[in-house]
Amino acid sequence: METREDAAVPLSFELNGETVAVRAAPAARLLDVLRGPCGRTGTKEGCGEGECGACSVLVDGRVVNACLYAALDVEGCRVTTIEGLHDGAGGPSALQRAFVTLGGTQCGFCTPGMIVAAEALLAANPDPAADDIRGALRGNLCRCTGYVQIVEAVRSAAAARRAGADAARAAAGAPS
Amino acid sequence: MSAARDAAGRTWVGRAVDRPDGADKAAGRTLYIHDITRPGMLHGKVKFSADAHARIKRIDTSRAERLPGVRAVITAENTPQIRIGFLRDNVVLKGEKVRQFRDEIAAVAAVDAATAAAAVELIDVEYEPLPGVFSPDEALAEGAPLVHETAPDGTPLTTNAMSLTFGHESGDMEAGMRAAVHVAEGTYSTPLIQQSCMGTAGCIAEFDTAGNLRIVAKTQIPFLAQRDFTRILPALGLAGRTVRVIVPALGGGFGTGLDTHPYEYISILLAWRTGRPVKIVYDRAEEFACLSPRQSSVTRVTQGCDAAGRLTFRRIDVVQDNGAYAAWGATYPSVMLLPATSLYRVPAVSFKAQLVYTNNPYCQAMRGYGNPEVTWPIESTLDDLAQAAGVDPLEMRLRNCNEPGEVTPMDLRVTTCGLRECLEKTGESLGWSEKRGRGSAPPADGARAHLRRGVGLASLIHVGGGGKIYRSDGSGIILKADDFGSVNVSYGGVEMGQGLHAALSVAVADAVGVRPENVVVNQTDTATCPWDVGTHASRGAFMACNAALLAAEKLRARIFAAAEDVYAEEVARNVAKARRRDASCEPPPPDVVAGARAADFDLRDGRLFLRERPADELTSVEFGRLLRAIHFRDAGTVFAVDAFYEPPTELPDWERGMGNLSANYAYGTQGAEVEVDTETGEVRILRMAAAHDVGRVLHPTALKGQIYGALAQGIGYALYEEVRTERGRVVNAGFTDYKIPTACEMDFPIDLHFVETNDPSGPFGAKGVGEPGLVPTAPAIANAIHDAVGVRITDLPITPERVLAALRAKRGEA
Ligand code: FES
Ligand code: FES
């Protein structure tokens, strides 16, 4: 669905660290606002009914399906999409690197949602077992990979992040 | 042809280089059809039929036309008739009669998608229902209503049986049947399933001022699509205008892009009518109900063997429910012929396929293309036959194993064949000798006494060197070297996620002698790429890399010839530079440099050097610098070379089922260990093994991804997936009710093993691998279930209900 200008109301939130102000209809989905007026097409629509996870984004750090989330509900919230996940210097994050190197992406259509969901998992659990990863990604469908290399990529990225965090702590002289 | 090797003798081929499209995909920057817009673009929406078989009495579009924002409403009334499909039996906009629920009756173009959707709801259609046929049995019954009353040329039809004929008879069937000491037979069915690309179908069509068509289309066949679309231009008054097909990133293909689809023509008609770009993108419900699923089929199979377990004959009869119109998928039997005639050695084979029109949704291609449908009954009855003969099923397969050099009953000329090793490796990784036949013993733990474990395996043969089903099975390629030492590749095949560009970039890197990051694969576009028949039949990497090898040889020859003129000067510059750092530096012998001829040069990893002095920096020239030196001088030149690779294959005679359609054949074996819950009928996979003859590993990460991904699809096909229809209407058009495997279902170890047979036809020895991974999965699982609990399931998917019913029947319960 696209929004009708006439019924739209102002909406302001933080998107990938930037404040955005747009107009959205009361019934608009977050997905349409992100892909439309915000111009962030990295978030995909695979089903529009909460079944595939291609539209996964973070709202205040929590994974949601943007296809079911009312746009107006992110007023004042912090929204993170795939475009907002990087290493801090605009380069790929550990997860993004691992997905490429280990075969976690094929057609790539599920990949943004998959990486966003994996990001939320690693934030909550820095050292997930394979079963934790599969459980956390069960709402994200992928038709190409059979998930094996996705799970490998998430494990490898988790290890890289832990090593990075250890290194950072060591550099700061903090006790590990 | 051999590849350039680095100083350590390594090639890029076979190394896990990051795939070139990976970083953008992981960053969410890749553009799919859903993400693309054009200035002034309108949104199109199709009005689909609300009946499976009916006369259209009236179509009233007036309310839709009056809706603000609507720019065009089209029907059969106000547009030229366009016939499409493999048999030209499908009229894009139906005016007289509908033959399936998804028939296209009208379409709207509006300023936004919401308005287009609202307008379609305002179109009123009045139907006069007709009796329908919803299975091949109903369709072939005496006096059954006809789906098509006439053939496309107007000849009256008297039956729903389609005119396509596929068959095969070879060997002495009577003798084969007489020689059989044991016989196994059965009737096996496969369901309709949905390819389930995560990115749905769509296109954007537009015309320029002169009437040339430009269409961005989610297709696997850009050049056949160009031909199809060009064909309709005269009907639009645009004879002689051109068509350009541009392929965006595909959110999966899996066969859905092997035909041109009604929605694409509708988008073209709307663009023609409005003079604006028109985009149509299917939503998930439309993708399920209105694209086209994989055919359902029923196969009767009989096989016999002698006392030693050697096959003496095989008979196969397939009936395929085609639905209302013929797509390319109607030619599944062309591929069914491979396992029917050539999986294991069988001296006498009979194969017949009957395709039937029904009022079900019309079907199209999906990965494997008829092969899984027939491998499933063959491999299931082979286990029954082994049991009857008292031979271990793995041993039985080894006794009948295909061998290199063999010419099969279908006249397939087997070059290399790694089947024996695939069987052995699969047996090893399953622990076959310890586990097979132990399934009925309950596990020690009493609480788990209702669980039974078993192992099973099944094999496959598939085309590995193209598959000739069209009058050319070729692929063109253009390699262009730029001023900066990069090579641009224009190839007409389609990257749909499978890793074609990953394989192509390492192949070009080796074949030309540059680094993979200096290989740039262009977007597939009929205006810039040479012709390619399409990305199907597991042919993408095989064809692209073979074409690349041919072109690279030409490119190197031309560059080396031109290098003769500039080489001495470039080496002199090296020497001057080295002297500035170190005045005592020894220059290379002048005669070696001045006398260097084309044949003396080599190029590797972006560095031209003398074959005799591979490690010498002073006599080597960076590739980009060399190209600039050749370009920017009097009578300079630049390099773009093309090549066309046509594999050494033949177009089979389908009625006789004879012909060597591929340059090589891919083999493989998959095995499963399962645990069956005898109380609930649930089947849990404990482990799987997959050994595939891939010829040569081109790109290990992409290759593994092809097998893992196909295996998961094979598991979905085996255990859960089915598009359910009620009198032709799809009743589970969404992922809520149509389950594909999630990460949680893929929770078991998978042992992959690649057998490298180095096929002489293959680029670097490689065979095609796109489809094989899902071909033997279902029978491997079914054979494991049989090993566990002794029941033979004959219908896919193998649901808990079916397993329970079979267990009850075995126990003699009602
Ligand atoms: S698009 Fe939101 S879950 Fe599928
Ligand atoms: S990579 Fe294609 S759906 Fe996951």
Side-chain angles (χ1 to χ4, degrees):
Chain A
M1 296 296 134
E2 288 192 6
T3 54
R4 300 279 176 80
E5 267 308 308
D6 41 356
V9 298
L11 166 67
S12 169
F13 58 101
E14 191 191 307
L15 175 57
N16 301 330
E18 294 170 7
T19 304
V20 294
V22 294
R23 296 180 69 81
R29 309 177 303 172
L30 176 57
L31 179 61
D32 297 318
V33 170
L34 292 173
R35 289 179 52 83
C38 296
R40 301 297 202 285
T41 55
T43 306
K44 302 301 177 198
E45 175 162 2
C47 71
E49 49 185 27
E51 292 284 351
C52 77
C55 64
S56 302
V57 299
L58 304 178
V59 175
D60 290 336
R62 204 164 51 87
V63 195
V64 306
N65 287 329
C67 72
L68 298 181
Y69 209 86
L72 297 190
D73 286 354
V74 301
E75 176 68 43
C77 296
R78 209 162 24 87
V79 177
T80 309
T81 65
I82 187 69
E83 292 92 345
L85 297 179
H86 45 70
D87 67 355
S93 68
L95 270 167
Q96 286 166 324
R97 273 198 308 275
F99 265 67
V100 176
T101 301
L102 297 176
T105 183
Q106 287 191 26
C107 81
F109 203 84
C110 72
T111 308
M114 202 65 87
I115 289 178
V116 165
E119 182 69 32
L121 166 70
L122 296 192
N125 178 359
D127 189 9
D131 274 338
D132 300 328
I133 298 170
R134 286 190 278 262
L137 299 181
R138 95 162 303 157
N140 291 78
L141 297 180
C142 174
R143 189 54 153 173
C144 299
T145 63
Y147 308 98
V148 179
Q149 291 161 302
I150 289 177
V151 174
E152 282 169 10
V154 176
R155 277 173 71 99
S156 147
R161 280 163 64 129
R162 289 196 307 276
D166 290 349
R169 262 195 304 274
S176 63
Chain B
M1 249 164 284
S2 68
R5 285 168 190 278
D6 68 10
R10 289 188 306 177
T11 56
W12 291 106
V13 161
R15 278 155 79 177
V17 177
D18 282 358
R19 56 186 292 159
D21 52 349
D24 275 353
K25 285 177 172 173
R29 300 175 67 150
T30 301
L31 295 182
Y32 303 84
I33 190 69
H34 320 75
D35 308 321
I36 300 170
T37 57
R38 299 286 293 168
M41 187 178 86
L42 299 172
H43 295 258
K45 188 88 175 168
V46 180
K47 172 79 175 176
F48 295 103
S49 165
D51 207 313
H53 199 198
R55 301 237 164 265
I56 299 171
K57 291 179 68 181
R58 194 177 54 89
I59 305 173
D60 180 357
T61 59
S62 57
R63 287 198 303 151
E65 279 156 25
R66 287 197 300 272
L67 188 71
V70 168
R71 295 291 177 263
V73 182
I74 57 170
T75 62
E77 274 292 290
N78 63 8
T79 53
Q81 192 190 71
I82 294 171
R83 277 189 174 277
I84 67 166
F86 185 71
L87 297 178
R88 315 243 143 255
D89 57 4
N90 190 357
V91 172
V92 166
L93 286 166
K94 284 75 181 172
E96 286 163 19
K97 140 167 167 167
V98 293
R99 298 178 174 84
Q100 54 165 357
F101 264 108
R102 53 155 291 194
D103 259 344
E104 297 80 4
I105 295 176
V108 172
V111 291
D112 58 41
T115 307
V120 154
E121 292 303 314
L122 296 176
I123 297 173
D124 289 316
V125 185
E126 205 184 310
Y127 302 94
E128 179 190 317
L130 296 168
V133 287
F134 300 100
S135 70
D137 282 349
E138 284 178 30
L140 296 175
E142 267 299 306
L146 290 176
V147 179
H148 294 268
E149 287 88 356
T150 56
D153 64 4
T155 343
L157 292 176
T158 54
T159 168
N160 289 313
M162 292 170 70
S163 56
L164 292 168
T165 327
F166 293 90
H168 173 91
E169 303 286 337
S170 63
D172 185 340
M173 183 54 73
E174 290 214 347
M177 291 173 74
R178 268 198 314 275
V181 177
H182 306 283
V183 171
E185 56 190 341
T187 301
Y188 287 78
S189 75
T190 64
L192 278 187
I193 70 164
Q194 226 280 327
Q195 298 82 351
S196 307
C197 299
M198 291 313 301
T200 53
C203 67
I204 303 171
E206 65 187 280
F207 288 91
D208 70 9
T209 320
N212 299 305
L213 171 65
R214 176 192 193 271
I215 181 164
V216 184
K218 184 183 185 239
T219 183
Q220 296 171 236
I221 47 154
F223 291 88
L224 297 191
Q226 182 191 30
R227 177 207 58 169
D228 285 1
F229 298 146
T230 301
R231 244 182 211 165
I232 71 161
L233 292 183
L236 309 184
L238 298 172
R241 301 304 197 284
T242 62
V243 173
R244 176 177 181 189
V245 179
I246 300 170
V247 186
L250 260 57
F254 312 125
T256 55
L258 290 194
D259 284 271
T260 48
H261 296 273
Y263 75 81
E264 292 168 324
Y265 296 89
I266 287 170
S267 168
I268 293 169
L269 287 170
L270 288 169
W272 171 70
R273 171 59 63 88
T274 59
R276 310 255 299 258
V278 176
K279 176 177 192 169
I280 294 183
V281 171
Y282 274 2
D283 63 25
R284 183 56 59 185
E286 288 171 323
E287 182 94 354
F288 265 103
C290 311
L291 198 57
S292 278
R294 163 173 228 138
Q295 267 93 347
S296 65
S297 65
V298 176
T299 302
R300 173 101 199 132
V301 59
T302 315
Q303 300 186 86
C305 68
D306 64 15
R310 274 186 300 266
L311 292 168
T312 61
F313 77 93
R314 180 184 288 161
R315 306 185 67 100
I316 293 183
D317 279 283
V318 187
V319 179
Q320 191 174 308
D321 180 350
N322 182 76
Y325 305 104
W328 268 94
T331 65
Y332 274 20
S334 61
V335 177
M336 292 175 172
L337 277 162
L338 268 79
T341 62
S342 308
L343 179 58
Y344 308 116
R345 291 152 87 103
V346 201
V349 180
S350 160
F351 171 84
K352 271 202 260 338
Q354 170 77 75
L355 289 91
V356 185
Y357 280 127
T358 64
N359 296 110
N360 287 324
Y362 88 82
C363 296
Q364 65 172 343
M366 185 175 168
R367 199 176 198 174
Y369 209 88
N371 197 335
E373 283 82 349
V374 166
T375 298
W376 144 249
I378 291 175
E379 283 288 21
S380 297
T381 47
L382 204 59
D383 260 33
D384 291 348
L385 194 59
Q387 194 177 20
V391 180
D392 173 85
L394 172 55
E395 177 54 32
M396 171 103 172
R397 286 170 172 84
L398 287 168
R399 281 183 203 173
N400 292 284
C401 192
N402 301 98
E403 301 291 350
E406 143 189 2
V407 177
T408 78
M410 178 183 178
D411 213 14
L412 306 184
R413 296 195 269 289
V414 177
T415 47
T416 55
C417 172
L419 182 56
R420 184 168 294 278
E421 189 177 338
C422 292
L423 281 161
E424 285 164 353
K425 288 287 173 194
T426 303
E428 270 168 40
S429 72
L430 281 182
W432 186 263
S433 42
E434 304 90 72
K435 288 180 179 163
R436 176 71 192 189
R438 306 288 155 79
S440 296
D445 180 355
R448 293 155 51 86
H450 59 291
L451 302 176
R452 293 284 187 283
R453 290 183 173 189
V455 291
L457 50 74
S459 299
L460 81 112
I461 177 176
H462 198 67
V463 291
K468 191 153 185 168
I469 55 170
Y470 192 69
R471 57 184 192 267
S472 164
D473 196 30
S475 285
I477 199 164
I478 295 172
L479 300 182
K480 179 175 80 66
D482 70 17
D483 285 344
F484 312 99
S486 288
V487 177
N488 277 87
V489 185
S490 297
Y491 177 65
V494 176
E495 170 64 77
M496 44 201 166
Q498 79 276 39
L500 169 65
H501 289 183
L504 190 50
S505 39
V506 291
V508 170
D510 273 349
V512 174
V514 294
R515 299 178 60 84
E517 57 269 32
N518 289 105
V519 177
V520 182
V521 185
N522 294 339
Q523 179 168 32
T524 299
D525 179 337
T526 57
T528 58
C529 299
W531 191 88
D532 169 75
V533 74
T535 305
H536 62 239
S538 303
R539 71 193 284 286
F542 173 87
M543 297 297 303
C545 298
N546 263 329
L549 281 167
L550 291 178
E553 202 170 61
K554 286 195 208 172
L555 180 64
R556 283 166 65 95
R558 283 192 51 199
I559 291 172
F560 293 166
E564 290 180 353
D565 297 342
V566 302
Y567 181 68
E569 201 173 318
E570 294 307 311
V571 171
R573 285 174 59 192
N574 287 348
V575 172
K577 202 167 152 200
R579 280 264 167 87
R580 280 199 296 277
R581 278 199 309 264
D582 173 8
S584 66
C585 155
E586 270 293 308
D591 57 320
V592 169
V593 175
R597 290 290 156 264
D600 302 324
F601 296 125
D602 199 353
L603 180 66
R604 272 182 221 161
D605 286 357
R607 204 177 130 259
L608 179 96
F609 56 91
L610 295 174
R611 286 176 198 281
E612 296 300 316
R613 309 167 75 93
D616 180 7
E617 281 304 313
L618 280 184
T619 51
S620 78
V621 184
E622 190 267 322
F623 188 40
R625 200 177 106 204
L626 174 78
L627 293 169
R628 291 192 295 276
I630 294 170
H631 177 182
F632 300 108
R633 60 180 172 133
D634 288 344
T637 190
V638 295
F639 301 97
V641 303
D642 68 297
F644 185 70
Y645 173 72
E646 181 79 50
T649 53
E650 53 201 37
L651 189 63
D653 170 345
W654 299 121
E655 291 187 23
R656 290 176 49 240
M658 297 293 284
N660 189 42
L661 77 168
S662 187
N664 70 61
Y665 297 91
Y667 296 86
T669 304
Q670 293 185 351
E673 182 177 9
V674 302
E675 186 172 83
V676 182
D677 185 324
T678 56
E679 285 171 4
T680 63
E682 261 158 56
V683 175
R684 220 182 107 210
I685 298 174
L686 301 176
R687 69 165 51 246
M688 288 209 63
H692 288 267
D693 171 3
V694 300
R696 164 93 186 270
V697 178
L698 291 175
H699 189 285
T701 320
L703 174 60
K704 283 185 214 160
Q706 282 301 283
I707 305 297
Y708 286 135
L711 195 87
Q713 291 183 354
I715 287 168
Y717 195 43
L719 298 180
Y720 344 102
E721 293 182 34
E722 175 163 25
V723 173
R724 291 196 308 276
T725 58
E726 276 168 20
R727 303 196 68 72
R729 183 199 289 271
V730 175
V731 296
N732 57 341
F735 288 126
T736 314
D737 297 312
Y738 183 98
K739 292 297 179 196
I740 65 171
T742 73
C744 288
E745 277 79 45
M746 298 298 292
D747 66 345
F748 47 83
I750 302 172
D751 250 355
L752 292 191
H753 185 82
F754 297 126
V755 176
E756 296 199 308
T757 47
N758 272 304
D759 195 88
S761 70
F764 309 93
K767 300 182 178 185
V769 294
E771 298 163 287
L774 58 56
V775 172
T777 318
I781 292 170
N783 287 341
I785 293 170
H786 189 273
D787 185 48
V789 292
V791 299
R792 176 58 60 199
I793 309 293
T794 55
D795 302 301
L796 295 184
I798 306 172
T799 56
E801 296 74 32
R802 282 181 169 147
V803 175
L804 267 192
L807 284 167
R808 290 214 183 93
K810 186 182 168 227
R811 289 196 298 262
E813 296 168 24

